[in-house]
Amino acid sequence: MMRAIFAVIVTSMLAAPGIADTPAPPIDLNQLGFEPSDAKVAILRAKDSLPLDWTLVDSAGHVLLRGKTQAIGKDGASGEELQRIDFSAVEAPGEGYRLIVAGASSDAFAIRKKLYRPLAKDAAAFFYHQRAGVPIEAKLVGAGWARPAGHAREIVTCFAGTDERGLKWPGCSYRLDVTGGWYDAGDHGKYVVNGGIALWTLLNAYERRPTAFADGSLKIPEAGNGVSDLLDEARYEMAFLLRMQVPQGMHAKLPVGPFKPVKPGQSPWEADAADLDDIDAGGMAHQKVADRFWTALPTPPQDDRQERLLYPPTTAATLNLAATAAQCARLWRGVDDGFAARCRAAAERAWRAALRNPQVYATNSFTGSGGYGDTQLSDEFYWAAAELFATTGEAAYLEALRRSPHFGAQVEEPGWPSTATLGTITLAIAAPKLPAADVKRLRGAILDAADRFLANSKGNGYGIPYRASDYPWGSNSALLNRAMLLGLAHDFTGEAKYRAGVVATIDYLLGRNPLSQSYVSGFGARAMRNPHHRFWAHSLDARLPGPPPGVLSGGPNSTAMSDDVAAKMKGKCAPQKCWADDIRAYALNEVAINWNAPLVWVAAWLDS
Ligand code: 9MR
Ligand code: 9MR
């Protein structure tokens, strides 16, 4: 009975057929709409390059504006012949607007102030849904998305035995209580490397504007405690990362680099580690805690019966801990001084451990979880030094920065394996002891990057600040991380072109793309519904929910099309079309904490 009622609620909530089930008109635009003073651009998938008349009508059918399309031509990124419609001149707020062109009518959209506020909140709520160790409460998320705690008491020891490549690991003499934190994605791994950038991004959004998610603004258990809800959510992950630190004085047998690729083209982290060296691992962080073997889809977290294990400490994880704990020490100062002090001690301990063990790399030799392997760590060292310097002002960290090739170097969008830009952003906005000339130089490097991204917009038909080919796994997050830099460029200069670049990004993610797809669940007429997720698996089990609103799909992936759905599309899709709304498509349609975090950052920025 209960189950039947539950199923009815869930299906009525999620599977109602609607616009999303009708063919998309060839007019691609942000399906939410636009803020009154922002650029307003739609893209028409056309038959040829002849200019066409368009009209913009309100909900009563009254014409608000007329114009002619501008030909863009054949576009490689989308594989389409495109034309552009610019109706930025219309600023009058209203709901139910439509564009009419070439005999077609667009889906309805709005022009509205505060358009992005619900998106910012729901994108932030994703992190509560992903919490391990606590029940997800119906009174906060609604009955459909509530679930019992997953991995409620996670007190685990290290992987011991022979790995996939025959390397023998001794295990460790201790257990750690690593309860809590966020599940990474559609799987139930909890990874320090990826946890680091996700946490940094939320904390940076807070540092940029501490009032953005005031206490009580999010539906989380801590609402009402007098602290920013974004800080509360971030603390849930920070506390977990602290638990992943190896106790003082512990020795471990670990593979110490450099690793040498054995096959041509193999990346070093995929190479065999020949043997293990005995090192003092105290203060390092374990790479991850995860299942021994992959669980099937669906597997709600409370039903996971796989053995959970700590995987070996790595230098990269250690530096992710150092960087975020240093950020924590700075941001909880005056909010919870005890927590800030704990973070500072952990950060300093991690930093020393990384200096002592600079080449302990992840190996790609365990089943059941993702690798997040990286053998280029100069950027992680730079990032950690930057956070520690911003927090402590100590000369040793400034010296480490000045010795780093990343200090003042060209800025790129950050990602989990390339974290230098996170350090540069912190130094550019939050390092009181950094000489003014250096701050200026770093801000200049961020502006240069923003200008390069805007120049990229000219190279693809949909006008996004991104490259035209080679879309990587999680391309939507790479684009959002660029938008974050554009947002900062706007903060530094006030120049409208940078905001327009951020708007172009969110337009693309919410429907201005050749699939007419909103990549964010619950936002837009044609929103993503079937992410690769072990609990939001409605398409595999009608008793389970689909995704809550505000969850970002990884997006088109034209370079690593490894799942079965993607494999069938390989070689047949233009980069922006290598995507499917299919739960099996983990290379195209997974969700992840490091992808939703920049969505929070950018949506909150647009709302400020
Ligand atoms: O969920 C996938 C599982 O069914 C496969 O056996 C496994 C094999 O690689 O891959 C799983 O998918 C993971 C993917 O490889 C990497 N991203 C995380 C995916 C799990 O959520
Ligand atoms: O985001 C990661 C992407 O950059 C890698 O190319 C990919 C394959 O190694 O793995 C992605 O990370 C996944 C992680 O390994 C496991 N959890 C889900 C992540 C998103 O798919």
Side-chain angles (χ1 to χ4, degrees):
M1 182 60 180
M2 272 303 286
R3 204 177 234 195
I5 292 172
F6 176 70
V8 168
I9 294 171
V10 169
T11 16
S12 60
M13 181 170 60
L14 296 153
I19 290 176
D21 301 296
T22 65
I27 308 158
D28 301 319
L29 79 186
N30 184 328
Q31 294 165 14
L32 279 191
F34 306 87
E35 292 215 343
S37 52
D38 277 338
K40 300 173 196 72
V41 171
I43 303 291
L44 174 72
R45 280 171 279 125
K47 296 196 176 58
D48 53 42
S49 58
L50 291 178
L52 299 165
D53 294 320
W54 57 261
T55 52
L56 174 68
V57 298
D58 66 16
S59 57
H62 297 132
V63 174
L64 298 176
L65 195 66
R66 294 175 196 279
K68 272 199 186 308
T69 59
Q70 302 154 289
I72 294 170
K74 180 83 181 166
D75 169 47
S78 63
E80 296 281 350
E81 173 80 43
L82 300 176
Q83 303 218 19
R84 185 180 152 96
I85 299 166
D86 190 330
F87 54 105
S88 304
V90 178
E91 300 202 346
E95 306 289 318
Y97 289 173
R98 287 171 198 274
L99 271 172
I100 303 194
V101 60
S105 164
S106 74
D107 294 330
F109 60 91
I111 294 182
R112 191 196 302 146
K113 286 190 176 159
K114 304 281 171 220
L115 185 74
Y116 298 107
R117 184 154 299 177
L119 177 62
K121 284 190 182 182
D122 284 344
F126 167 81
F127 294 88
Y128 174 59
H129 284 279
Q130 290 290 105
R131 284 192 195 183
V134 286
I136 305 308
E137 297 178 49
K139 68 170 195 278
L140 299 173
V141 298
W145 285 296
R147 57 171 172 80
H151 310 95
R153 276 184 78 239
E154 188 122 276
I155 302 174
V156 289
T157 191
C158 306
F159 178 95
T162 308
D163 70 13
E164 274 194 316
R165 311 216 179 156
L167 198 61
K168 269 189 114 106
W169 299 78
C172 58
S173 59
Y174 54 86
R175 287 180 173 273
L176 293 183
D177 180 348
V178 293
T179 307
W182 302 317
Y183 295 123
D184 188 53
D187 62 322
H188 298 140
K190 302 189 293 186
Y191 307 78
V192 174
V193 165
N194 201 45
I197 184 171
L199 175 58
W200 179 93
T201 304
L202 295 192
L203 287 177
N204 185 262
Y206 170 82
E207 190 158 40
R208 177 184 169 270
R209 201 161 72 98
T211 54
F213 296 87
D215 185 35
S217 63
L218 296 180
K219 289 184 175 163
I220 56 172
E222 298 81 3
N225 68 356
V227 175
S228 151
D229 284 346
L230 194 56
L231 268 196
D232 285 333
E233 190 56 62
R235 182 171 179 156
Y236 197 75
E237 179 73 357
M238 188 70 246
F240 160 70
L241 294 184
L242 293 173
R243 289 164 180 251
M244 293 290 281
Q245 194 163 31
V246 177
Q248 214 51 6
M250 288 291 165
H251 275 240
K253 286 196 154 184
L254 296 172
V256 176
F259 293 173
K260 289 183 205 69
V262 286
K263 290 183 217 131
Q266 192 180 37
S267 85
W269 90 283
E270 291 173 312
D272 289 298
D275 53 25
L276 306 177
D277 293 340
D278 183 86
I279 62 168
D280 171 3
M284 294 185 75
H286 286 273
Q287 175 83 354
K288 60 190 170 188
V289 50
D291 293 321
R292 187 186 279 276
F293 295 106
W294 287 110
T295 57
L297 268 77
T299 300
Q302 68 274 15
D303 297 340
D304 180 6
R305 298 287 169 266
Q306 268 298 328
E307 186 184 6
R308 301 281 286 183
L309 293 163
L310 284 172
Y311 288 85
T314 63
T315 307
T318 304
L319 290 166
N320 272 260
L321 174 63
T324 51
Q327 216 183 358
C328 161
R330 179 164 86 239
L331 296 177
W332 268 274
R333 217 182 261 157
V335 176
D336 180 341
D337 288 332
F339 188 58
R342 255 183 76 204
C343 280
R344 176 162 177 173
E348 290 171 334
R349 212 149 65 77
W351 174 256
R352 287 194 300 271
L355 288 181
R356 200 166 66 236
N357 301 306
Q359 293 195 102
V360 179
Y361 302 124
T363 65
N364 189 21
S365 52
F366 300 106
T367 52
S369 54
Y372 288 123
D374 185 6
T375 47
Q376 175 47 258
L377 302 185
S378 60
D379 51 320
E380 280 78 9
F381 272 103
Y382 168 79
W383 173 33
E387 298 299 340
L388 279 156
F389 178 65
T391 300
T392 67
E394 284 177 11
Y397 300 118
L398 184 55
E399 284 157 26
L401 290 172
R402 292 211 186 282
R403 280 194 307 270
S404 169
H406 300 284
F407 192 53
Q410 177 166 305
V411 164
E412 306 289 352
E413 74 267 20
W416 65 263
S418 45
T419 56
T421 296
L422 310 181
T424 294
I425 291 173
T426 288
L427 294 174
I429 68 173
K433 293 271 174 67
L434 189 65
D438 290 308
V439 173
K440 198 172 166 212
R441 195 158 60 102
L442 297 183
R443 289 187 173 206
I446 290 173
L447 291 178
D448 287 347
D451 289 332
R452 264 186 287 122
F453 300 160
L454 290 183
N456 289 159
S457 311
K458 311 245 161 20
N460 67 88
Y462 280 84
I464 56 171
Y466 202 59
R467 57 174 167 267
S469 62
D470 296 342
Y471 275 48
W473 193 306
S475 65
N476 283 344
S477 74
L479 184 55
L480 279 167
N481 281 327
R482 285 180 165 215
M484 175 174 74
L485 289 160
L486 288 162
L488 289 168
H490 187 270
D491 286 352
F492 298 157
T493 63
E495 284 187 51
K497 63 181 180 183
Y498 297 122
R499 179 159 174 115
V502 181
V503 170
T505 301
I506 205 76
D507 284 354
Y508 168 86
L509 294 176
L510 295 176
R512 192 177 106 194
N513 58 63
L515 299 174
S516 289
Q517 181 67 47
S518 165
Y519 291 109
V520 182
S521 56
F523 285 81
R526 298 167 195 280
M528 179 274 280
R529 294 193 287 191
N530 304 304
H532 182 82
H533 196 276
R534 280 166 171 71
F535 177 51
W536 305 326
H538 186 71
S539 67
L540 297 178
D541 182 343
R543 290 166 301 180
L544 293 172
V551 180
L552 176 76
S553 165
N557 174 358
S558 66
T559 52
M561 304 181 72
S562 49
D563 65 66
D564 293 345
V565 178
K568 290 206 181 78
M569 305 175 76
K570 203 171 174 170
K572 298 179 200 150
C573 47
Q576 288 179 352
K577 285 188 177 167
C578 296
W579 187 81
D581 191 8
D582 189 319
I583 190 167
R584 296 166 301 158
Y586 58 75
L588 313 177
N589 201 29
E590 194 159 355
V591 304
I593 53 175
N594 63 318
W595 303 343
N596 244 75
L599 180 62
V600 173
W601 199 108
V602 167
W605 185 90
L606 282 163
D607 191 52
S608 66

